[in-house]
Amino acid sequence: MAELYPSLAQCAIVAAAFKVLLFPAYKSTDFEVHRNWLAITHSLPAKEWYYEETSEWTLDYPPFFAAFEWLLSRAAYYADPAMLIVKNLNYDSWQTIYFQRTTVILSELVLLYALNRFVKSTPEPNKKLAHVASLSILLSPGLLIIDHIHFQYNGFLYGILVFSIVLARKQSTLLYSGITFAVLLCLKHIYLYLSLAYFVYLLRAYCFDPKSIFRPRFGNAFKLGVSVLSVFGLAFGPFAHWNQLLQLKERLFPFSRGLCHAYWAPNVWAMYSFVDRVLIPFAPSLRLPINHDALNSVTRGLVGDTSFAVLPEVTKEQTFILTFLFQLLPLIKLWLRPDWETFIGAITLCGYASFLFGWHVHEKAVLLIIIPFSLIALKDRRYFSAFRPLAVAGHVSLFPLLFTAAEFPLKTVYTVMWLVLFLFVFDRVAPVPERPRIFLLDRFSLLYITIAIPLIAYCSLAHQLIFGPNRYEFVPLMFTSSYSALGVVGSWVGFMVIYFTA
């Protein structure tokens, strides 16, 4: 490992120093969300955590994350006890800001450890490729924007995901992979999007003989079942004892929210919403009925019910069916060929399906695709061609999270530098594939990246200069979401072709 330079640890130290400089930067309402959760878990007994509603930002993560907040609150008491008072809404003393920002940086050590394990577990000929991929994740502008400015704790959660994927690499540690993923589900339930890939892979590769489904391994199935149930029992058992499981369900799965989160995550429904907006002026000449009550619903940028003015409404059931269908396709191949690289491909495609077709998808969930895909993006140049538009679209789609002027040069310069550096390095080191590359996908990637530059310039600067700061605010958001959605969908189609022809 000595020849791998710069090392993960060296980059982590430099990145941490840079992140410390961002302590005074913009912070979203998620900062208050997590401060409130510190106060709830510190001040109240566990049986009251999921009922407390002094703040509108009620606790809506699974019990293990609540326990994580409780552990942090033990240390927070010594930083500033006032942050742990439930009624101190929107409290943000400098001690509170510094404490919470620091905990995000320290929790990312889990990601650093997992990436180090990933590199070490990679066969010697491919270690440098794994190292490059690991550096791209560690220095990800997505994690920088979401965790260290906007404010969340995704770094350590994705560290657990990567560690679970690494443990799935060997037959001897498959059980620990399942246990680790179960722990992850009890920390943040968004990882349910990837759970079918784990279920199929562990069932096929651990509970059956990988070479034959006619040789079940009952002992392995028993160990896996008991282990996973024990993890969920530890997390949810106390709340079941207090008859609070229905309350937890209401908090964890608020299905009353609308199809689109905030302003349109870059998925199929963003494109659907864009088409709906475009059709409005043409509807009378096309003799299409218009729902006048819905004209403003998809441009207000708020969390709520989304209605369409021209196109048919989309139901929760329809999004569920589409998500399940497009997850099922890669899972069939995973069942037939339960090897580790197919498993990562299936995880990635499950992430794609959930992000593209799911109900009320957050734009931040694009990391569910980018991070596992990064682990195999350098398998050969075909994989890299499919990854490239995703890397551009996924990170550009996060720009609206930071809408203040002070953060504009930071998010833009850092993201562009990351894209130039890593896409250039990926292009140089990705092996030549055994199968021919997809000509159209290569051309799509290049054209897509070329258009990104003027689009960012217009949405971030030119629009306000032309129309002023408060006119047609939805237009740059709509362009960003729709353009990013085109890149994610194009990447998904390209990777589907590669996955099924590999």
Side-chain angles (χ1 to χ4, degrees), residues 47-268:
K47 64 170 58 179
E48 297 180 25
W49 288 354
Y50 289 94
Y51 285 92
E52 212 293 320
E53 52 185 20
T54 301
S55 167
E56 62 180 307
W57 312 117
T58 53
L59 181 60
D60 59 5
Y61 273 26
F64 278 0
F65 197 92
F68 170 72
E69 294 278 6
W70 177 84
L71 284 173
L72 293 182
S73 74
R74 303 298 100 180
Y77 178 82
Y78 297 98
D80 185 355
M83 80 171 82
L84 301 175
I85 299 174
V86 174
K87 293 183 179 180
N88 275 358
L89 303 183
N90 300 309
Y91 184 80
D92 62 349
S93 67
W94 69 265
Q95 295 97 329
T96 303
I97 294 171
Y98 279 42
F99 173 80
Q100 290 195 231
R101 297 280 197 197
T102 301
T103 58
V104 175
I105 294 174
L106 292 177
S107 67
E108 266 194 348
L109 290 173
V110 176
L111 178 62
L112 177 64
Y113 173 77
L115 292 173
N116 185 59
R117 286 290 301 268
F118 168 65
V119 176
K120 288 184 175 180
S121 69
T122 303
E124 192 62 41
N126 296 322
K127 275 196 190 298
K128 288 185 178 180
L129 299 179
H131 182 68
V132 171
S134 296
L135 287 177
S136 75
I137 295 173
L138 183 67
L139 302 176
S140 165
L143 291 176
L144 182 80
I145 290 171
I146 297 172
D147 283 10
H148 301 283
I149 303 178
H150 185 271
F151 195 86
Q152 280 193 358
Y153 288 92
N154 290 287
F156 100 93
L157 294 171
Y158 281 109
I160 296 173
L161 175 64
V162 172
F163 185 54
S164 175
I165 291 173
V166 171
L167 290 174
R169 197 164 201 162
K170 295 181 179 179
Q171 184 73 25
S172 59
T173 53
L174 269 177
L175 174 62
Y176 304 117
S177 174
I179 294 172
T180 304
F181 186 72
V183 170
L184 182 61
L185 290 176
C186 295
L187 281 163
K188 191 170 183 178
H189 49 303
I190 193 174
Y191 294 97
L192 279 169
Y193 290 155
L194 313 180
S195 58
L196 284 180
Y198 272 86
F199 175 78
V200 170
Y201 183 64
L202 291 172
L203 179 65
R204 183 67 181 83
Y206 185 71
C207 299
F208 289 92
D209 188 308
K211 297 180 180 179
S212 175
I213 61 171
F214 299 105
R215 289 184 242 168
R217 297 171 170 176
F218 295 109
N220 285 359
F222 177 78
K223 287 188 289 185
L224 179 63
V226 169
S227 299
V228 171
L229 288 175
S230 297
V231 171
F232 280 96
L234 184 62
F236 293 95
F239 300 95
H241 177 70
W242 298 323
N243 295 316
Q244 294 184 7
L245 291 184
L246 287 178
Q247 177 65 14
L248 261 71
K249 182 185 77 68
E250 292 298 318
R251 285 287 181 88
L252 299 183
F253 303 100
F255 287 116
S256 58
R257 295 177 180 176
L259 173 68
C260 299
H261 169 70
Y263 204 83
W264 309 351
N267 59 10
V268 167

Side-chain angles (χ1 to χ4, degrees), residues 444-466:
F444 168 79
S445 297
L446 293 174
L447 178 63
Y448 186 81
I449 293 171
T450 303
I451 297 174
I453 299 171
L455 180 82
I456 293 171
Y458 173 80
C459 293
S460 301
L461 294 174
H463 180 82
Q464 290 191 14
L465 293 176
I466 296 170

Side-chain angles (χ1 to χ4, degrees), residues 283-303:
S285 59
L286 296 173
R287 297 184 179 181
L288 295 173
I290 297 178
N291 177 7
H292 292 280
D293 294 335
L295 287 178
N296 296 321
S297 69
V298 293
T299 61
R300 62 191 180 187
L302 301 175
V303 175

Side-chain angles (χ1 to χ4, degrees), residues 3 12 37 48 78-79 126 148 156 191 233 256 279 308 313 317 326 333 366 373 377 399 401 410 422 425 494-495:
E3 73 277 4
W37 293 359
E48 297 180 25
Y78 297 98
N126 296 322
H148 301 283
F156 100 93
Y191 294 97
S256 58
L279 284 176
F308 297 102
E313 296 295 334
E317 293 77 14
F326 285 109
K333 179 179 178 179
V366 74
F373 199 166
F399 280 13
L401 292 175
L410 177 64
F422 282 103
V425 174
F495 185 56

Side-chain angles (χ1 to χ4, degrees), residues 143 329 372 467 487:
L143 291 176
L329 295 176
F467 297 104

